Amino acid sequence: RRKFEIAQYDLTEEGWKVCNPACHMYQREMQIQVEKARQRCPQNNCNFDYYTYALLYDMHSVAACDAIYMLKEWNDSPGATAEFYYAKACGKEIIFEK
């Protein structure tokens, strides 16, 4: 989380409005939305997977952004890799940590 906080601070200083997926507010809202998705799933009638719905919430967030910022070693993270390819497919600007 510290890497995310530092990147958020630096990008904010550069004038960017930042959506930080590691911050508490983002994580809490994601949990709320995933729980709503789980409640829409009829009991024993679907294979609900928390990670799948959390990743879907994340893609909605990427869709709302003008650009994404990739921390070093982003390709070690399945979630960051998904964000990268989604952003690329949508024509978003992709900025890489130096």
Side-chain angles (χ1 to χ4, degrees):
R1 289 184 187 232
R2 184 72 178 133
K3 289 180 186 180
F4 283 84
E5 289 172 359
I6 292 168
Q8 180 177 359
Y9 177 82
D10 291 344
L11 291 167
T12 302
E13 287 293 305
E14 291 178 19
W16 291 93
K17 182 178 176 187
V18 177
C19 175
N20 178 354
C23 82
H24 178 73
M25 285 186 354
Y26 182 97
Q27 291 291 316
R28 182 66 187 130
E29 183 60 28
M30 180 184 65
Q31 290 171 347
I32 291 167
Q33 295 305 319
V34 171
E35 178 59 24
K36 286 180 182 179
R38 188 193 65 72
Q39 290 173 1
R40 289 191 300 270
C41 185
Q43 292 254 335
N44 301 322
N45 198 16
C46 67
N47 184 13
F48 183 84
D49 175 43
Y50 184 91
Y51 183 74
T52 298
Y53 284 89
L55 193 58
L56 182 59
Y57 177 80
D58 200 30
M59 295 307 109
H60 282 271
S61 296
V62 172
C65 296
D66 295 324
I68 63 169
Y69 184 81
M70 308 304 297
L71 294 171
K72 290 179 185 173
E73 302 174 1
W74 64 270
N75 52 344
D76 292 339
S77 164
T81 301
E83 291 172 348
F84 170 80
Y85 284 107
Y86 180 77
K88 185 175 179 176
C90 294
K92 304 282 184 183
E93 180 179 2
I94 302 172
I95 303 164
F96 296 91
E97 181 180 26
K98 292 180 175 65

